[in-house]
Amino acid sequence: MLDLSSLDLEEIATALADQTDYEHRWLINPQTGDVVFWTSDTGIDGQTPVDLDDLDLICIDPLPSYIWYQDMADFAERVSDDRTGRRLARAIEGKGAFRRFKDELHQEHPHLLPAWHAFRDARAQRRAVDWLVDNSLIDGDAAIRFVDDHPDPNVP
């Protein structure tokens, strides 16, 4: 078992959110907790191609985009100003939801950016902890303590 406090949850969360393609993968060393980036062309050292099956590392497969989409919907729902909440909710309707949500925040509601980042990051880190438990890399009790200590922050 790895020590949760020694892991880079932000990096694991980034890997879980990476929806770009399968020409690259994020991997974690189950012995050390180190996260590495692999590409089909340059392997994990940036120079030497290596087959994923030849590595004693665990792939961090991205979570489906609807999970990350739900964070935007939940945030919009919790915004205390009804008009702003409705605008954010409208921004995530249909294709391009992630870009429109980001644009709406940056252009029309920049005062909400710190709250959005805190909200998104708290959820992403809890997902990283859940992923670590699901892959038997950390102790379940440590995960429960972490989740209890890191609830969703308040949304203004």
Side-chain angles (χ1 to χ4, degrees), residues 106-124:
H106 281 270
Q107 294 169 10
E108 304 298 330
H109 313 288
H111 64 284
L112 290 176
L113 283 169
W116 164 243
H117 291 146
F119 186 85
R120 178 198 61 199
D121 293 349
R123 287 196 168 185

Side-chain angles (χ1 to χ4, degrees), residues 86-106:
R86 284 192 307 274
R87 285 186 64 143
L88 290 170
R90 251 191 325 275
I92 62 173
E93 293 175 358
K95 287 188 111 176
F98 291 91
R99 179 190 45 78
R100 282 193 313 277
F101 183 83
K102 180 181 168 186
D103 290 348
E104 180 71 22
L105 275 176
H106 281 270

Side-chain angles (χ1 to χ4, degrees), residues 9-10 13-14 16-17 63 67-76 78 98 101-102 105-106 112-128 146 150-155:
L9 294 180
E10 187 174 320
T14 297
L16 291 169
L63 297 174
I67 290 174
W68 307 101
Y69 173 91
Q70 191 60 49
D71 291 345
M72 296 184 301
D74 292 347
F75 182 82
R78 293 178 186 191
F98 291 91
F101 183 83
K102 180 181 168 186
L105 275 176
H106 281 270
L112 290 176
L113 283 169
W116 164 243
H117 291 146
F119 186 85
R120 178 198 61 199
D121 293 349
R123 287 196 168 185
Q125 288 187 358
R126 290 197 311 265
R127 285 188 189 108
F146 182 90
H150 295 85
D152 286 345
N154 292 328
V155 177

Side-chain angles (χ1 to χ4, degrees), residues 32-103:
T32 66
D34 292 335
V35 175
V36 296
F37 189 74
W38 171 90
T39 68
S40 56
D41 295 337
T42 63
I44 60 173
D45 66 0
Q47 299 174 359
T48 312
V50 62
D51 189 55
L52 280 176
D53 295 332
D54 295 337
L55 300 171
D56 290 327
L57 304 173
I58 299 171
C59 286
I60 305 172
D61 292 322
L63 297 174
S65 61
Y66 67 81
I67 290 174
W68 307 101
Y69 173 91
Q70 191 60 49
D71 291 345
M72 296 184 301
D74 292 347
F75 182 82
E77 184 178 294
R78 293 178 186 191
V79 170
S80 60
D81 177 31
D82 290 339
R83 182 175 175 272
T84 300
R86 284 192 307 274
R87 285 186 64 143
L88 290 170
R90 251 191 325 275
I92 62 173
E93 293 175 358
K95 287 188 111 176
F98 291 91
R99 179 190 45 78
R100 282 193 313 277
F101 183 83
K102 180 181 168 186
D103 290 348

